[in-house]
Amino acid sequence: MTKAVSFVFFFALIFVTSHAQSIIFNPQPLPSFKINDTQSVAASCSFTATIRTSCSSPTYTRDQISLSFGDAYGNQVYAPRLDDPSTGTFERCSVDTYQITGPCLHQVCYLYLYRSGYDGWKPESVQVYGYYTGAVTFYYNTRIPNDVWYGFNYCSGASTSKPAMNWFGHVFQVFGHVFQVVFCFQCWKGLLGSM
């Protein structure tokens, strides 16, 4: 009985680990990121975005800063040009809060910042929440590269995720599982006793 349970557990473990997806904790550039035009939909919601600037950022910045975030269903909120040097936004160690209106979202799962300029602004974190969404915080603590959307995508599914695998990819994935099971002699030996 214990060998049968071990056998089932072994296959379940192979299945689960082969379908695991890595979670990226550091922001990544996304040159192909596009702003979609969902802002004009009838239903709109209000969101609060709180941006904390790092204490190792320049004293002030003249960089142009934009923000975009959304959900796994392709809904996107875009806030162009949040910066305003005359009011002291994004100064070193500062916290700036914005009320942003956009299409209603399910849970926010991606967020990108765009910086254009020469000062090298460095955010510490960005927190977004709305009436219908829980608060989510994205930790940067790194300089934003110039002229590229830079951030996080924790969505699984829908339009912001990686493209679907073609039949060739599925064949290789299945072959990899079969190869892993058949040629794991040490695993079989441990499960079924000596061969």
Side-chain angles (χ1 to χ4, degrees), residues 22-186:
S22 64
I23 296 176
I24 300 170
F25 291 105
N26 294 319
Q28 301 292 313
L30 188 60
S32 63
F33 186 74
K34 302 284 186 232
I35 300 300
N36 62 27
D37 192 17
T38 57
Q39 304 271 63
S40 61
V41 295
S44 67
C45 290
S46 179
F47 299 92
T48 301
T50 303
I51 302 174
R52 182 178 301 274
T53 298
S54 172
C55 291
S56 60
S57 189
T59 305
Y60 66 94
T61 187
R62 294 162 296 194
D63 293 345
Q64 299 173 5
I65 310 296
S66 298
L67 168 72
S68 184
F69 56 91
D71 62 22
Y73 300 97
N75 301 308
Q76 183 183 82
V77 176
Y78 172 57
R81 295 293 312 266
L82 296 173
D83 55 282
D84 184 0
S86 66
T87 62
T89 56
F90 305 126
E91 289 182 344
R92 180 185 299 161
C93 299
S94 68
V95 177
D96 298 292
T97 303
Y98 299 92
Q99 296 299 316
I100 302 168
T101 302
C104 296
L105 303 176
H106 296 272
Q107 186 59 43
V108 173
C109 59
Y110 74 85
L111 184 138
Y112 289 95
L113 290 169
Y114 186 88
R115 181 186 71 81
S116 181
Y118 300 101
D119 293 333
W121 175 67
K122 181 180 179 181
E124 184 176 301
S125 64
V126 179
Q127 183 182 60
V128 176
Y129 63 92
Y131 185 76
Y132 298 107
T133 62
V136 61
T137 304
F138 298 87
Y139 295 96
Y140 279 83
N141 207 26
T142 188
R143 295 193 193 290
I144 304 296
N146 196 33
D147 294 327
V148 67
W149 286 100
Y150 194 68
F152 302 87
N153 185 346
Y154 296 129
C155 301
S156 59
S159 63
T160 58
S161 64
K162 60 185 177 185
M165 199 181 319
N166 62 18
W167 70 270
F168 193 65
H170 285 292
V171 168
F172 271 112
Q173 188 176 30
V174 169
F175 178 74
H177 295 304
V178 170
F179 183 82
Q180 187 177 15
V181 171
V182 171
F183 294 102
C184 184
F185 293 118
Q186 291 298 328

